[in-house]
Amino acid sequence: NERSFVAVKPDGVQRRLVGEIVRRFEKRGFKLVGLKLVQASEELLREHYWDLRNKPFFSSLIRYMSSGPVVVMVWQGLDVVKTARKMLGETNPADSLPGTVRGDFCVEVGRNVIHGSDSVASAQKEISLWFRQNELQLWESSSRNWIY
Ligand code: GTP
Ligand code: MG
């Protein structure tokens, strides 16, 4: 079963958007298998955003992401990686449609509230970077047969 790594960034936590974001993923029908509030180290964040290390905004991105706690989550379900990206909206909030998290709650690319894995392969890397195996719960959802 497919999993995605989703994080509410420090601005999303500060702006009390955690509940709203969790609610959207729950209501869509995805299953929560991991969740925690963490102050990410710069080292962890540099690893997380390694692909962007040569971008001009890299150091400001690391500063932003370490400016306060983030809520990191693992969601499971059919096509969750692709669907989560749709629910997030585009990288730049100005390109994000209303109805998406970024399209509803932010205006600036450097304060775009939420992260979601961009592929199944990055989801696997990100989940193992942010979570220990014993922080992920295997459980049977009672609504499963009504969703699938
Ligand atoms: P994530 O879900 O956070 O990975 O965003 P993304 O996949 O939509 O975009 P990408 O991985 O390309 O960039 C990661 C993050 O870097 C973005 O979410 C932004 O917070 C930030 N970022 C991307 N492009 C810019 C930019 O041009 N300027 C600034 N200041 N930040 C940027
Ligand atoms: Mg990305």
Side-chain angles (χ1 to χ4, degrees), residues 51-106:
D51 292 348
L52 303 176
R53 64 191 176 282
N54 294 322
K55 300 280 184 189
F57 56 83
F58 185 72
S59 63
S60 76
L61 174 61
I62 302 301
R63 231 178 304 124
Y64 159 49
M65 290 296 293
S66 58
S67 64
V70 295
V71 169
V72 290
M73 306 177 268
V74 178
W75 290 93
Q76 183 172 313
L78 182 66
D79 285 327
V80 64
V81 169
K82 180 175 149 194
T83 305
R85 293 285 289 191
K86 289 201 169 152
M87 292 167 69
L88 263 57
E90 301 300 319
T91 305
N92 186 346
D95 300 327
S96 301
L97 292 175
T100 64
V101 173
R102 289 168 179 163
D104 287 344
F105 301 120
C106 54

Side-chain angles (χ1 to χ4, degrees), residues 131-137:
F131 285 90
R132 299 163 186 273
Q133 195 64 248
N134 66 5
E135 291 176 315
L136 301 174
Q137 309 304 326

Side-chain angles (χ1 to χ4, degrees), residues 94-130:
D95 300 327
S96 301
L97 292 175
T100 64
V101 173
R102 289 168 179 163
D104 287 344
F105 301 120
C106 54
V107 291
E108 206 187 281
V109 68
R111 294 287 183 271
N112 62 359
V113 171
I114 190 168
H115 164 82
S117 307
D118 60 12
S119 68
V120 172
S122 4
Q124 286 167 350
K125 263 196 268 174
E126 293 169 0
I127 291 166
S128 59
L129 181 66
W130 289 83

